[in-house]
Amino acid sequence: MYARVTIAQVQPGKLDEGLQIVRDSVIPAAKQQPGFKGAWELVDRSNNKALAITMWETEADLKAGETSGYYQEQMAKVSSLLVGSFVREIYEVAIEP
């Protein structure tokens, strides 16, 4: 299994708006992608920081979303709420519960 971690600094007062977009639009779109296994959105409200973790069955599934433009399309939905650009990292899941 593989995880994509996206870290973003959100404009003050925009965190809940961003979470609503993720809940209503980004997650439903992710559920339609091959190999999607789940998502978590973590927030640090005191610092207006958000960290999204999406899980993928294979590395190929994860990367397919990036080469198809799916990932960029989803990030565009929230990019106007961010301070600067987001950071994206990919990890292999070494231990599962």
Side-chain angles (χ1 to χ4, degrees), residues 13-52:
K14 298 291 186 176
L15 193 56
D16 287 327
E17 182 179 346
L19 290 171
Q20 190 69 41
I21 293 168
V22 169
R23 186 179 304 111
D24 294 346
S25 183
V26 175
I27 298 298
K31 288 179 177 179
Q32 301 303 312
Q33 300 302 304
F36 177 75
K37 302 305 279 181
W40 295 266
E41 186 78 21
L42 292 78
V43 296
D44 177 350
R45 290 186 183 277
S46 66
N47 291 308
N48 296 309
K49 193 171 183 179
L51 186 147

Side-chain angles (χ1 to χ4, degrees), residues 71 75 80 87:
Y71 177 72
M75 290 308 300
S80 67
V87 175

